[in-house]
């Protein structure tokens, strides 16, 4: 590993009932279902090749539960909640499908956070975590669109659509990240 480089695994939470029914969750606080818990255990198995120093998680219950399952399986005792890792806010579209939202409002959904804003916010959030824990191995339990936005900002193109409990790994430091594994190209 590069001297003083931080290793990151950004992990999308496991499945929820809203995922199962293709409902937009965003900042709505929806718990994992049984499939999501099993997916989190599978994600932990894939992460077990590294000794992780800590897990930092979004405050939303689906991410926190995913983080706790991974922590238990990977023997990580330090879990921190970070509000900045929260998912994109879909405003009035939360709780309905993307198709329903588009039929109702077109491309501009009331109260939706712009993707461009999310990209900037995601980079700031991940960089801030890495600045707090330079050179550590960190799991960030977060959300699909958040991970996509961060990866798009780092790679420079729309590159991934992470499945539930999928992880993308990075190595580097704030402002200088490179993807090392987990790109799920769209």
């Amino acid at each position: 590993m590069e001297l003083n480089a931080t290793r990151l695994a950004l992990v999308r939470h496991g499945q929820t009932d809203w995922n199962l029914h293709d409902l937009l969750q965003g900042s709505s606080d929806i718990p994992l279902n049984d499939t999501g818990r099993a997916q989190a255990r599978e994600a932990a198995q894939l992460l077990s090749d590294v000794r992780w120093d800590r897990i930092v998680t979004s405050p939303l219950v689906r991410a926190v539960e995913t983080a706790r399952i991974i922590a238990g399986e990977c023997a990580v005792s330090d879990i921190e909640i970070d509000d900045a890792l929260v998912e994109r806010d879909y405003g009035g579209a939360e709780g309905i499908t993307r198709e329903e939202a588009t039929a109702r409002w077109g491309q501009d959904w009331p109260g939706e956070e712009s993707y461009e804003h999310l990209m900037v916010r995601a980079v700031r959030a991940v960089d801030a975590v890495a600045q707090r824990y330079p050179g550590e191995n960190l799991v960030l339990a977060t959300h699909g669109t958040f991970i996509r936005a961060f990866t798009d900002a780092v790679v420079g193109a729309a590159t991934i659509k992470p499945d539930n409990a999928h992880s993308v790994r990075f190595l580097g430091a704030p402002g200088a990240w490179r993807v090392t594994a987990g790109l799920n190209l769209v």
Side-chain angles (χ1 to χ4, degrees):
M1 188 161 94
E2 298 165 23
L3 188 62
N4 293 326
T6 300
R7 182 184 312 228
L8 301 174
L10 274 66
V11 180
R12 183 180 179 196
H13 61 80
Q15 184 187 74
T16 69
D17 287 342
W18 281 25
N19 290 136
L20 186 62
H21 299 292
D22 292 322
L23 303 177
L24 292 164
Q25 293 179 107
S27 60
S28 296
D29 209 6
I30 310 302
L32 296 180
N33 59 24
D34 289 340
T35 298
R37 289 181 198 94
Q39 289 172 331
R41 285 189 292 278
E42 290 170 16
Q45 290 301 310
L46 294 172
L47 292 167
S48 67
D49 64 324
V50 171
R51 185 194 55 77
W52 299 100
D53 297 305
R54 73 187 68 248
I55 299 175
V56 183
T57 181
S58 158
L60 297 178
V61 68
R62 59 192 183 267
V64 171
E65 190 172 1
T66 299
R68 287 185 178 143
I69 291 168
I70 292 170
E73 297 285 326
C74 292
V76 178
S77 60
D78 197 354
I79 298 176
E80 174 185 326
I81 294 176
D82 187 332
D83 291 345
L85 299 178
V86 74
E87 177 64 300
R88 181 182 190 181
D89 188 343
Y90 287 103
E94 292 188 14
I96 62 175
T97 67
R98 189 172 297 281
E99 293 76 24
E100 290 170 317
T102 301
R104 205 177 281 179
W105 298 295
Q107 298 303 313
D108 296 319
W109 305 342
E112 179 186 29
E113 178 181 16
S114 76
Y115 190 71
E116 293 74 21
H117 182 268
L118 176 62
M119 287 174 68
V120 170
R121 180 170 67 79
V123 169
R124 284 183 184 152
V126 172
D127 282 355
V129 171
Q131 286 170 344
R132 284 196 308 273
Y133 307 110
E136 291 192 14
N137 296 330
L138 308 170
V139 173
L140 277 59
T142 186
H143 307 275
T145 308
F146 183 96
I147 294 169
R148 180 176 178 209
F150 178 76
T151 305
D152 288 353
V154 169
V155 175
T159 54
I160 65 166
K161 183 178 186 336
D163 295 327
N164 287 107
H166 179 84
S167 67
V168 181
R169 295 189 188 193
F170 298 85
L171 184 67
W177 298 110
R178 64 181 172 85
V179 177
T180 60
L183 277 189
N184 180 1
L185 301 177
V186 291

